[in-house]
Amino acid sequence: MQVTVAHLKRGQRGIITDVSSIHIPLKLLEMGCLPGNFVELVQLAHFSDPMYLNINGTHLAIRKETALHILIEIL
Amino acid sequence: MSKQINVALIGNPNTGKTSVFNALTGLNQKVGNYPGITVEKKEGICKLPRGVKAHIIDLPGTYSLNASSLDENVVIELLLNKNDKDFPDVAVVVSDVENLKRNLLLFTQIKDLEIPTILVINMADRMSYKGITLDIPYLEEHLNTKIALVSTRKKNGITELKELITNYKELSTAPCMNASAIDPEYFLNLQKAFPNQLLYKLWLVITQDVNFGKTDRNEIDAVAEFKTKSKADLKRLQQKETIKRYQFINNTLKEGQTIDLNTAKDLRIKLDRILTHKIWGYVIFFLILLTIFQAIYDWSSVPMDFIDSSFAALSEWTKNSLPAGAFTSLLAEGIIPGLGGIVIFIPQIAFLFLFISVLEESGYMSRVVFLMDRGMRRFGLSGKSVVPLISGTACAIPAIMATRNIESWKERLITILVTPFTTCSARLPVYLIIISLVIPDGRFLGLGYQAMTLMLLYLIGFGAALVSAMLLNKILKIKSKTFFVVEMPNYKLPLFKNVVLTVIEKTKSFVFGAGKIILAISIVLWFLASYGPGEEFNNAEEIIKTEYADQNLSAEEIHEHVASQKLEHSFLGITGHAIEPAIRPLGYDWKIGIALVSSFAAREVFVGTLATIYSVGSDDEETIKNRMAGEVNPILGGPLFTFASGISLLLFYAFAMQCMSTLAIVQRETNSWKWPLLQLVIMSAFAYIIALIAFQLLK
């Protein structure tokens, strides 16, 4: 099974290995969601959605459906 | 005369760009619109050393030059159009010291357009707190720019920035990245086809599929043949470009910036643990809303009572000191009470804008977006719809414009359609005056009944918005890609100057915008109420004298009867009586009917209209509220404003679509007349039915 951002637990960190660029808006890439950058799960809302992340020093929230398309390696 | 330097302020959202703008221009600023579109245009004048002046434009915040909304498009359109009168001589890129890496992305893009660029590193006062040290000379050398370390909070660095702007001619225009590196072969062909054009500019024109405006239309058409690459290919290249930019930035920052994580403190984590908590987050949000409403109600009652009695006194004074005649009476009975009807609400509107701007400035609003997204999606909305719904409590017009950052068209359309249900500040005057007439003055658990009623009306407004959103979500068959990205900025203590400027600016535009309509309508109403056709109006005095001949009335009583006889048979009275049958089942008389009809121009006209109607022909110095309380129901007897008719009126105003400006904005934002017309008909019909049911049940 592929590990994605959606699998992170609160406080866990990972390194982004691949993003499927069809499903990820350019804006998210520009905010630092790129292979090689770290990602940390800061907080979850109800039903784990949306997810409050720290990607490469930028704090942002995305929905779970988007998080499923960001592949990571959990640290 | 020395030439003005054109300066464009550019930066990511949440970098304090507006604070820098305020620090540079002070009160020398004005807010308008870009021609043809409703994007806010902020510009100002800044005095520089040696008598030079700069014309500064505060461009909408954007993360990059790849525009995805109308607001962001304004930025790229200006930067690509050398012939625009506002084309910058120098671009000032404002960045946040804590987010330098991401902020530099936009900086490198602007550098690549070969525009002289200054880098402002803002919030420099946070550096030691965050354990950040910067090697400024190194960064200046590698980024080919001049850097100003600024702290708008501590008022540092603005003089240095002004100095840099004055000497903008010394700035390098060398690009940061060679655009060809993105795809050498493709760019080589491009360069061959357009040898005189800047490659990066061509690339931007090719990749922008959201061209709302008229940027070098010819150029776009000319490069059409290069659009041979598919959308997916272009996006892959844009991704590659972004990666390359970040490589450059990372290399530069590796030497130029050190962050000591041991000394870094993070308030954010502690605050977010509570403020975005699954339970406490919502509790706190609700408490904040409750406080706001209680405050709006309690804090502003003193200045409001003062304004109300001052206008009554002014009207009385005018009548007594100016020579009697049509003009005096127009002034005392038409214009002054009409204006009083708007001035009275300045305290509340100012408080409302104050709270909203504090919530936005502090960074808390993004947390609300995060908390509410999941719940809002159930209604077909986005977490970002919360911002329009909350700022809709000030005014639906900016709220509808604030929907632009909602990525999905369906979510955005639904938000636009339901936002007018939220209780805007124009409804506030109507609510307040009616609540004070029909709701008792008691307290329960420290909360006034009146404040609770107001809170309830706000909740009804939100409820109506959510329920109709849910219905629209089921009915509308629109397929659109949904995604959702929202930045969670650092918590900041709001800057006093920013908040004050926002409150002043918004209150001013409300008062003048609404003031014009209200003034015009009060003058028209005064004419309609002071003149009438036929015997019954023109011979009012004779008629009354004969009618009451056998009763021994005092001169004053006769005068009152004459006045009311005249009003009833004036043009206004005749119109009011004509519509009375339609509104009697709701508990209203013809005077309220007039106010209701004129409210379709704008709701806030209601109180001013009643004030004008009631003051025509009356002698006493009276406040609007006392006059309303004294009105008698012509059919049932007893006071006109009872609990039943009051509630019915409140509900009518809660649901009816009575604002021409909002309809116009909806038309512009949706680019169709279908949606605003649907809003007008459905909302108003619904309001009528609910008000009818309420009155019939309660009377």
Side-chain angles (χ1 to χ4, degrees), chain B residues 561-611:
Chain B
H561 281 290
V562 171
S564 81
Q565 164 86 6
K566 275 191 166 180
L567 187 57
E568 272 212 73
H569 296 282
S570 67
F571 290 112
L572 191 68
I574 294 167
T575 323
H577 283 296
I579 54 171
E580 202 174 6
I583 52 168
R584 193 171 295 149
L586 311 185
Y588 316 152
D589 72 342
W590 65 271
K591 293 178 188 171
I592 301 181
I594 298 286
L596 220 55
V597 170
S598 56
S599 289
F600 273 88
R603 297 179 182 94
E604 57 273 36
V605 168
F606 178 83
V607 180
T609 304
L610 285 183

Short mmCIF file of all heavy atoms in Angstrom, two decimals, chain B residues 561-611:
data_model
loop_
_atom_site.label_atom_id
_atom_site.label_comp_id
_atom_site.label_asym_id
_atom_site.label_seq_id
_atom_site.Cartn_x
_atom_site.Cartn_y
_atom_site.Cartn_z
N HIS B 561 -54.89 67.15 13.72
CA HIS B 561 -55.86 66.49 12.85
C HIS B 561 -55.66 66.89 11.40
O HIS B 561 -55.74 66.06 10.50
CB HIS B 561 -57.29 66.83 13.30
CG HIS B 561 -57.73 66.03 14.48
ND1 HIS B 561 -57.97 64.68 14.39
CD2 HIS B 561 -57.95 66.37 15.77
CE1 HIS B 561 -58.33 64.22 15.59
NE2 HIS B 561 -58.31 65.24 16.46
N VAL B 562 -55.35 68.15 11.21
CA VAL B 562 -55.12 68.63 9.84
C VAL B 562 -53.92 67.92 9.25
O VAL B 562 -53.95 67.44 8.11
CB VAL B 562 -54.90 70.16 9.83
CG1 VAL B 562 -54.45 70.63 8.45
CG2 VAL B 562 -56.16 70.88 10.24
N ALA B 563 -52.85 67.83 10.05
CA ALA B 563 -51.62 67.20 9.56
C ALA B 563 -51.88 65.75 9.15
O ALA B 563 -51.44 65.30 8.08
CB ALA B 563 -50.54 67.27 10.62
N SER B 564 -52.62 65.04 9.96
CA SER B 564 -52.79 63.63 9.62
C SER B 564 -53.77 63.48 8.45
O SER B 564 -53.62 62.58 7.63
CB SER B 564 -53.22 62.82 10.85
OG SER B 564 -54.58 62.95 11.07
N GLN B 565 -54.76 64.39 8.37
CA GLN B 565 -55.66 64.38 7.21
C GLN B 565 -54.86 64.61 5.93
O GLN B 565 -55.02 63.93 4.92
CB GLN B 565 -56.71 65.49 7.37
CG GLN B 565 -57.48 65.86 6.11
CD GLN B 565 -58.69 64.96 5.91
OE1 GLN B 565 -59.00 64.14 6.76
NE2 GLN B 565 -59.37 65.11 4.78
N LYS B 566 -53.93 65.58 6.00
CA LYS B 566 -53.10 65.90 4.82
C LYS B 566 -52.23 64.71 4.42
O LYS B 566 -52.15 64.35 3.26
CB LYS B 566 -52.20 67.11 5.13
CG LYS B 566 -52.89 68.42 4.90
CD LYS B 566 -51.87 69.53 4.95
CE LYS B 566 -52.46 70.81 4.39
NZ LYS B 566 -51.51 71.91 4.41
N LEU B 567 -51.58 64.11 5.42
CA LEU B 567 -50.69 63.00 5.12
C LEU B 567 -51.46 61.86 4.47
O LEU B 567 -51.02 61.27 3.48
CB LEU B 567 -50.01 62.52 6.42
CG LEU B 567 -48.93 61.48 6.25
CD1 LEU B 567 -47.83 61.98 5.32
CD2 LEU B 567 -48.32 61.11 7.60
N GLU B 568 -52.64 61.57 4.99
CA GLU B 568 -53.41 60.45 4.45
C GLU B 568 -53.81 60.68 3.01
O GLU B 568 -53.95 59.73 2.24
CB GLU B 568 -54.68 60.25 5.29
CG GLU B 568 -54.45 59.33 6.44
CD GLU B 568 -55.69 58.54 6.79
OE1 GLU B 568 -56.04 57.62 6.03
OE2 GLU B 568 -56.28 58.87 7.81
N HIS B 569 -54.02 61.96 2.63
CA HIS B 569 -54.49 62.22 1.27
C HIS B 569 -53.40 62.79 0.39
O HIS B 569 -53.68 63.24 -0.72
CB HIS B 569 -55.72 63.13 1.32
CG HIS B 569 -56.86 62.46 2.00
ND1 HIS B 569 -57.64 61.52 1.37
CD2 HIS B 569 -57.33 62.53 3.26
CE1 HIS B 569 -58.54 61.06 2.22
NE2 HIS B 569 -58.38 61.65 3.39
N SER B 570 -52.17 62.75 0.86
CA SER B 570 -51.05 63.16 0.01
C SER B 570 -50.76 62.06 -1.00
O SER B 570 -51.33 60.97 -0.92
CB SER B 570 -49.82 63.40 0.88
OG SER B 570 -49.40 62.17 1.42
N PHE B 571 -49.88 62.37 -1.94
CA PHE B 571 -49.50 61.34 -2.93
C PHE B 571 -48.98 60.08 -2.22
O PHE B 571 -49.29 58.97 -2.60
CB PHE B 571 -48.40 61.88 -3.85
CG PHE B 571 -48.87 62.94 -4.78
CD1 PHE B 571 -48.44 64.25 -4.64
CD2 PHE B 571 -49.77 62.63 -5.80
CE1 PHE B 571 -48.89 65.24 -5.50
CE2 PHE B 571 -50.21 63.61 -6.66
CZ PHE B 571 -49.78 64.93 -6.51
N LEU B 572 -48.21 60.34 -1.17
CA LEU B 572 -47.62 59.21 -0.45
C LEU B 572 -48.71 58.37 0.21
O LEU B 572 -48.72 57.14 0.13
CB LEU B 572 -46.66 59.74 0.62
CG LEU B 572 -45.77 58.71 1.27
CD1 LEU B 572 -44.77 58.18 0.27
CD2 LEU B 572 -45.03 59.30 2.46
N GLY B 573 -49.65 59.06 0.84
CA GLY B 573 -50.74 58.36 1.52
C GLY B 573 -51.55 57.53 0.54
O GLY B 573 -51.93 56.39 0.84
N ILE B 574 -51.80 58.10 -0.62
CA ILE B 574 -52.60 57.39 -1.61
C ILE B 574 -51.88 56.11 -2.06
O ILE B 574 -52.47 55.03 -2.13
CB ILE B 574 -52.90 58.31 -2.82
CG1 ILE B 574 -53.81 59.45 -2.33
CG2 ILE B 574 -53.57 57.54 -3.94
CD1 ILE B 574 -53.92 60.60 -3.32
N THR B 575 -50.58 56.25 -2.32
CA THR B 575 -49.80 55.07 -2.71
C THR B 575 -49.83 54.02 -1.60
O THR B 575 -50.04 52.83 -1.85
CB THR B 575 -48.31 55.45 -2.94
OG1 THR B 575 -48.26 56.72 -3.55
CG2 THR B 575 -47.61 54.42 -3.78
N GLY B 576 -49.60 54.49 -0.37
CA GLY B 576 -49.57 53.58 0.76
C GLY B 576 -50.89 52.84 0.90
O GLY B 576 -50.91 51.61 1.09
N HIS B 577 -52.00 53.57 0.77
CA HIS B 577 -53.30 52.92 0.91
C HIS B 577 -53.53 51.89 -0.19
O HIS B 577 -54.19 50.88 0.01
CB HIS B 577 -54.42 53.97 0.90
CG HIS B 577 -54.53 54.68 2.21
ND1 HIS B 577 -54.88 54.02 3.36
CD2 HIS B 577 -54.30 55.98 2.56
CE1 HIS B 577 -54.88 54.88 4.37
NE2 HIS B 577 -54.51 56.08 3.91
N ALA B 578 -52.95 52.18 -1.37
CA ALA B 578 -53.13 51.24 -2.49
C ALA B 578 -52.48 49.89 -2.19
O ALA B 578 -53.01 48.84 -2.58
CB ALA B 578 -52.56 51.83 -3.77
N ILE B 579 -51.35 49.92 -1.51
CA ILE B 579 -50.69 48.62 -1.26
C ILE B 579 -51.09 48.02 0.08
O ILE B 579 -50.76 46.87 0.38
CB ILE B 579 -49.14 48.72 -1.32
CG1 ILE B 579 -48.66 49.81 -0.36
CG2 ILE B 579 -48.65 48.95 -2.71
CD1 ILE B 579 -47.16 49.82 -0.22
N GLU B 580 -51.86 48.76 0.85
CA GLU B 580 -52.20 48.28 2.18
C GLU B 580 -52.86 46.90 2.19
O GLU B 580 -52.52 46.06 3.03
CB GLU B 580 -53.06 49.30 2.93
CG GLU B 580 -52.98 49.11 4.42
CD GLU B 580 -53.69 50.20 5.20
OE1 GLU B 580 -54.35 51.04 4.57
OE2 GLU B 580 -53.59 50.18 6.42
N PRO B 581 -53.81 46.61 1.28
CA PRO B 581 -54.45 45.29 1.33
C PRO B 581 -53.45 44.14 1.29
O PRO B 581 -53.68 43.09 1.91
CB PRO B 581 -55.33 45.29 0.09
CG PRO B 581 -55.58 46.71 -0.23
CD PRO B 581 -54.38 47.46 0.23
N ALA B 582 -52.34 44.33 0.58
CA ALA B 582 -51.37 43.23 0.44
C ALA B 582 -50.59 43.01 1.72
O ALA B 582 -50.12 41.89 1.99
CB ALA B 582 -50.41 43.53 -0.71
N ILE B 583 -50.43 44.06 2.52
CA ILE B 583 -49.57 43.90 3.69
C ILE B 583 -50.34 43.87 5.00
O ILE B 583 -49.79 43.58 6.04
CB ILE B 583 -48.51 45.04 3.75
CG1 ILE B 583 -49.20 46.39 3.64
CG2 ILE B 583 -47.47 44.87 2.67
CD1 ILE B 583 -48.29 47.53 3.97
N ARG B 584 -51.66 44.15 4.93
CA ARG B 584 -52.43 44.13 6.18
C ARG B 584 -52.38 42.75 6.85
O ARG B 584 -52.28 42.67 8.08
CB ARG B 584 -53.86 44.58 5.94
CG ARG B 584 -54.58 44.87 7.25
CD ARG B 584 -55.91 45.53 7.05
NE ARG B 584 -55.82 46.85 6.46
CZ ARG B 584 -56.77 47.36 5.67
NH1 ARG B 584 -57.82 46.64 5.34
NH2 ARG B 584 -56.63 48.56 5.18
N PRO B 585 -52.47 41.66 6.06
CA PRO B 585 -52.38 40.34 6.70
C PRO B 585 -51.07 40.11 7.46
O PRO B 585 -50.97 39.21 8.28
CB PRO B 585 -52.50 39.36 5.55
CG PRO B 585 -53.03 40.12 4.40
CD PRO B 585 -52.69 41.55 4.61
N LEU B 586 -50.05 40.92 7.17
CA LEU B 586 -48.78 40.78 7.89
C LEU B 586 -48.75 41.66 9.13
O LEU B 586 -47.79 41.65 9.88
CB LEU B 586 -47.59 41.17 7.00
CG LEU B 586 -47.50 40.59 5.60
CD1 LEU B 586 -46.19 41.00 4.95
CD2 LEU B 586 -47.59 39.09 5.64
N GLY B 587 -49.81 42.48 9.34
CA GLY B 587 -49.86 43.33 10.52
C GLY B 587 -49.32 44.72 10.31
O GLY B 587 -49.05 45.43 11.27
N TYR B 588 -49.16 45.16 9.05
CA TYR B 588 -48.57 46.48 8.80
C TYR B 588 -49.65 47.45 8.34
O TYR B 588 -50.65 47.05 7.76
CB TYR B 588 -47.48 46.42 7.72
CG TYR B 588 -46.51 45.27 7.82
CD1 TYR B 588 -45.89 44.77 6.69
CD2 TYR B 588 -46.22 44.69 9.05
CE1 TYR B 588 -45.00 43.72 6.77
CE2 TYR B 588 -45.33 43.64 9.14
CZ TYR B 588 -44.73 43.15 8.00
OH TYR B 588 -43.86 42.11 8.07
N ASP B 589 -49.41 48.75 8.59
CA ASP B 589 -50.32 49.75 8.03
C ASP B 589 -49.67 50.36 6.80
O ASP B 589 -48.59 49.96 6.38
CB ASP B 589 -50.65 50.81 9.08
CG ASP B 589 -49.46 51.72 9.37
OD1 ASP B 589 -48.33 51.32 9.02
OD2 ASP B 589 -49.64 52.79 9.95
N TRP B 590 -50.33 51.35 6.23
CA TRP B 590 -49.82 51.89 4.97
C TRP B 590 -48.49 52.61 5.11
O TRP B 590 -47.70 52.66 4.18
CB TRP B 590 -50.87 52.78 4.31
CG TRP B 590 -51.20 54.03 5.08
CD1 TRP B 590 -52.15 54.16 6.04
CD2 TRP B 590 -50.57 55.30 4.95
NE1 TRP B 590 -52.17 55.43 6.53
CE2 TRP B 590 -51.20 56.17 5.88
CE3 TRP B 590 -49.54 55.80 4.14
CZ2 TRP B 590 -50.84 57.49 6.02
CZ3 TRP B 590 -49.18 57.12 4.30
CH2 TRP B 590 -49.82 57.95 5.23
N LYS B 591 -48.23 53.15 6.31
CA LYS B 591 -46.95 53.85 6.49
C LYS B 591 -45.79 52.87 6.44
O LYS B 591 -44.76 53.13 5.82
CB LYS B 591 -46.94 54.61 7.81
CG LYS B 591 -47.92 55.76 7.83
CD LYS B 591 -47.91 56.45 9.19
CE LYS B 591 -49.04 57.47 9.24
NZ LYS B 591 -49.21 58.00 10.59
N ILE B 592 -45.97 51.74 7.12
CA ILE B 592 -44.92 50.72 7.05
C ILE B 592 -44.79 50.24 5.61
O ILE B 592 -43.69 49.96 5.12
CB ILE B 592 -45.24 49.54 7.99
CG1 ILE B 592 -45.36 50.04 9.43
CG2 ILE B 592 -44.16 48.47 7.89
CD1 ILE B 592 -45.65 48.95 10.44
N GLY B 593 -45.93 50.17 4.93
CA GLY B 593 -45.93 49.74 3.53
C GLY B 593 -45.01 50.62 2.69
O GLY B 593 -44.22 50.12 1.88
N ILE B 594 -45.09 51.94 2.90
CA ILE B 594 -44.22 52.86 2.16
C ILE B 594 -42.76 52.57 2.48
O ILE B 594 -41.91 52.48 1.60
CB ILE B 594 -44.53 54.32 2.57
CG1 ILE B 594 -45.96 54.70 2.20
CG2 ILE B 594 -43.55 55.28 1.94
CD1 ILE B 594 -46.18 54.92 0.76
N ALA B 595 -42.49 52.39 3.78
CA ALA B 595 -41.11 52.12 4.20
C ALA B 595 -40.62 50.81 3.57
O ALA B 595 -39.47 50.69 3.15
CB ALA B 595 -41.02 52.05 5.72
N LEU B 596 -41.53 49.84 3.51
CA LEU B 596 -41.19 48.54 2.95
C LEU B 596 -40.83 48.66 1.47
O LEU B 596 -39.83 48.11 1.01
CB LEU B 596 -42.42 47.63 3.10
CG LEU B 596 -42.23 46.19 3.49
CD1 LEU B 596 -41.45 46.09 4.77
CD2 LEU B 596 -43.60 45.55 3.67
N VAL B 597 -41.66 49.42 0.75
CA VAL B 597 -41.41 49.56 -0.68
C VAL B 597 -40.10 50.30 -0.93
O VAL B 597 -39.27 49.88 -1.74
CB VAL B 597 -42.59 50.28 -1.36
CG1 VAL B 597 -42.24 50.65 -2.79
CG2 VAL B 597 -43.82 49.40 -1.33
N SER B 598 -39.88 51.40 -0.17
CA SER B 598 -38.63 52.14 -0.42
C SER B 598 -37.42 51.32 0.03
O SER B 598 -36.32 51.53 -0.45
CB SER B 598 -38.66 53.50 0.27
OG SER B 598 -38.91 53.36 1.64
N SER B 599 -37.64 50.35 0.92
CA SER B 599 -36.53 49.50 1.37
C SER B 599 -36.00 48.61 0.27
O SER B 599 -34.92 48.03 0.41
CB SER B 599 -36.97 48.58 2.50
OG SER B 599 -37.18 49.29 3.66
N PHE B 600 -36.75 48.43 -0.80
CA PHE B 600 -36.23 47.57 -1.85
C PHE B 600 -35.05 48.20 -2.57
O PHE B 600 -34.29 47.52 -3.25
CB PHE B 600 -37.34 47.14 -2.83
CG PHE B 600 -38.04 45.90 -2.36
CD1 PHE B 600 -39.13 45.99 -1.50
CD2 PHE B 600 -37.57 44.64 -2.70
CE1 PHE B 600 -39.75 44.85 -1.03
CE2 PHE B 600 -38.19 43.50 -2.23
CZ PHE B 600 -39.29 43.60 -1.39
N ALA B 601 -34.87 49.52 -2.40
CA ALA B 601 -33.65 50.14 -2.90
C ALA B 601 -32.49 49.75 -1.99
O ALA B 601 -31.43 49.37 -2.42
CB ALA B 601 -33.80 51.64 -2.93
N ALA B 602 -32.71 49.85 -0.70
CA ALA B 602 -31.72 49.47 0.31
C ALA B 602 -32.45 49.41 1.64
O ALA B 602 -33.25 50.29 1.94
CB ALA B 602 -30.59 50.49 0.37
N ARG B 603 -32.14 48.37 2.42
CA ARG B 603 -32.92 48.13 3.64
C ARG B 603 -32.83 49.26 4.65
O ARG B 603 -33.80 49.59 5.32
CB ARG B 603 -32.40 46.88 4.35
CG ARG B 603 -32.55 45.64 3.55
CD ARG B 603 -32.00 44.47 4.33
NE ARG B 603 -32.10 43.27 3.53
CZ ARG B 603 -31.14 42.82 2.76
NH1 ARG B 603 -30.01 43.47 2.69
NH2 ARG B 603 -31.31 41.72 2.07
N GLU B 604 -31.64 49.86 4.75
CA GLU B 604 -31.43 50.84 5.81
C GLU B 604 -32.32 52.06 5.63
O GLU B 604 -32.41 52.90 6.51
CB GLU B 604 -29.95 51.23 5.90
CG GLU B 604 -29.35 51.80 4.63
CD GLU B 604 -28.81 50.71 3.71
OE1 GLU B 604 -29.42 49.63 3.65
OE2 GLU B 604 -27.78 50.94 3.07
N VAL B 605 -32.98 52.16 4.48
CA VAL B 605 -33.88 53.28 4.23
C VAL B 605 -35.10 53.23 5.15
O VAL B 605 -35.73 54.23 5.42
CB VAL B 605 -34.30 53.23 2.74
CG1 VAL B 605 -35.44 54.17 2.46
CG2 VAL B 605 -33.11 53.56 1.87
N PHE B 606 -35.41 52.04 5.65
CA PHE B 606 -36.62 51.83 6.43
C PHE B 606 -36.81 52.87 7.54
O PHE B 606 -37.82 53.56 7.59
CB PHE B 606 -36.60 50.42 7.04
CG PHE B 606 -37.78 50.10 7.92
CD1 PHE B 606 -38.98 49.67 7.37
CD2 PHE B 606 -37.70 50.23 9.29
CE1 PHE B 606 -40.06 49.38 8.17
CE2 PHE B 606 -38.77 49.93 10.10
CZ PHE B 606 -39.96 49.50 9.54
N VAL B 607 -35.79 52.97 8.42
CA VAL B 607 -35.94 53.86 9.57
C VAL B 607 -36.02 55.31 9.11
O VAL B 607 -36.86 56.08 9.59
CB VAL B 607 -34.78 53.66 10.56
CG1 VAL B 607 -34.95 54.58 11.74
CG2 VAL B 607 -34.74 52.22 11.03
N GLY B 608 -35.17 55.67 8.15
CA GLY B 608 -35.20 57.04 7.65
C GLY B 608 -36.55 57.38 7.05
O GLY B 608 -37.08 58.48 7.25
N THR B 609 -37.13 56.42 6.33
CA THR B 609 -38.44 56.64 5.71
C THR B 609 -39.50 56.88 6.76
O THR B 609 -40.26 57.84 6.70
CB THR B 609 -38.84 55.42 4.86
OG1 THR B 609 -37.81 55.18 3.92
CG2 THR B 609 -40.15 55.66 4.15
N LEU B 610 -39.52 56.00 7.76
CA LEU B 610 -40.52 56.18 8.82
C LEU B 610 -40.30 57.51 9.53
O LEU B 610 -41.24 58.23 9.83
CB LEU B 610 -40.45 55.02 9.82
CG LEU B 610 -41.07 53.71 9.32
CD1 LEU B 610 -41.01 52.67 10.41
CD2 LEU B 610 -42.51 53.89 8.87
N ALA B 611 -39.02 57.85 9.73
CA ALA B 611 -38.72 59.11 10.40
C ALA B 611 -39.29 60.28 9.60
O ALA B 611 -39.87 61.20 10.16
CB ALA B 611 -37.22 59.27 10.58
#
